[in-house]
Amino acid sequence: MEWFYENNGQQVGPVSREEILRLIMQQRIKPETLVWTPEFGEAWRPASAAGLVSPLTGLLRLSTGISEHWAWVVLVGPWLIQRLALLILDWRQVPASEQAGPSSIVAIMSLVLFFTAFTLDRNSIRENGQTPPGFWWWLFLPGYFWRRRQIVGRGLSLLLVSLVLFAANVTEKIYQLPQMKAELQHQQEQMHQSAPSNPPASSGQDDEQEEL
């Protein structure tokens, strides 16, 4: 395949893809450098939009496709960490009253993993010259993967798994509602029982009131 590139306003080429890659490694072709190949039709593209150079680092891209690795980490990574932590706590028979500390640590680890993978997945889309889904889609992952599939053109399995996990989480919360209400009612009863009651009026006070 023949390639052309712009150098100081001048069209250079044709050159082979191997030559283009060599020029990228030598930093003579940068992310903003315009390149052209017959597959582009009449439009020249920046090397970053052509999938040759990373717009973030300016380095050679070894692959022109968008990886789904970080997307899968976003989807199942935190979920697996939380489930594994619950299994370990149950296996070690940790009382419920002592699970608050470990659960908080696991929650922080899950958040760090989630947002790290989420940022890297959006960057991988951006490096391919496309605009990733908005940041606030993290609040509703099925929506994020739906937009991601529209942009990338693939990722149906990610979308389907995200819908299944979302439905499973909602079902789990609904199933836990009676138990949560019972625990809340139990706590309120304990607070009511532990509240100090007002002492009854003494007989001396009653006599004084009668004399008045």
Side-chain angles (χ1 to χ4, degrees):
M1 180 186 299
E2 293 182 340
W3 286 80
F4 296 80
Y5 67 96
E6 183 186 39
N7 184 23
N8 296 325
Q10 300 293 324
Q11 175 181 310
V12 180
V15 297
S16 65
R17 179 178 174 83
E18 288 73 19
E19 178 66 12
I20 284 284
L21 299 181
R22 186 182 67 82
L23 294 171
I24 293 172
M25 295 179 67
Q26 294 176 353
Q27 297 291 305
R28 293 172 60 185
I29 291 182
K30 303 182 182 299
E32 65 274 11
T33 302
L34 294 177
V35 297
W36 184 87
T37 189
E39 290 184 354
F40 296 169
E42 298 181 357
W44 286 63
R45 300 181 186 179
S48 58
L52 296 172
V53 184
S54 167
L56 300 179
T57 63
L59 301 177
L60 174 68
R61 286 183 57 85
L62 300 178
S63 173
T64 59
I66 299 176
S67 172
E68 294 184 350
H69 296 158
W70 291 117
W72 282 108
V73 174
V74 169
L75 187 57
V76 301
W79 185 83
L80 288 176
I81 287 178
Q82 293 174 3
R83 293 302 183 274
L84 182 60
L86 289 175
L87 288 175
I88 292 175
L89 291 175
D90 290 341
W91 174 64
R92 299 188 63 180
Q93 298 180 350
V94 178
S97 59
E98 300 179 5
Q99 292 184 8
S103 297
S104 300
I105 296 174
V106 170
I108 293 173
M109 291 174 57
S110 299
L111 284 175
V112 171
L113 176 63
F114 175 84
F115 283 108
T116 300
F118 185 76
T119 301
L120 291 173
D121 184 61
R122 296 180 74 244
N123 285 346
S124 68
I125 298 174
R126 188 179 292 111
E127 287 181 358
N128 205 57
Q130 296 170 298
T131 303
F135 173 79
W136 291 107
W137 277 116
W138 72 268
L139 293 169
F140 182 61
L141 285 183
Y144 173 78
F145 289 112
W146 169 71
R147 284 289 298 130
R148 189 184 191 279
R149 183 169 184 267
Q150 286 185 326
I151 295 169
V152 176
R154 56 192 178 91
L156 179 60
S157 56
L158 286 166
L159 176 58
L160 293 177
V161 173
S162 69
L163 289 171
V164 171
L165 290 178
F166 178 76
N169 287 332
V170 171
T171 303
E172 182 180 6
K173 297 301 181 184
I174 294 175
Y175 178 77
Q176 291 176 348
L177 275 178
Q179 180 181 356
M180 295 172 62
K181 289 182 179 179
E183 291 179 355
L184 181 60
Q185 184 177 1
H186 180 66
Q187 291 178 358
Q188 291 177 346
E189 291 176 354
Q190 286 183 335
M191 292 176 61
H192 180 71
Q193 293 175 357
S194 60
S197 58
N198 294 324
S202 63
S203 59
Q205 291 178 346
D206 293 341
D207 295 341
E208 291 178 0
Q209 291 178 357
E210 291 178 358
E211 292 176 358
L212 293 174

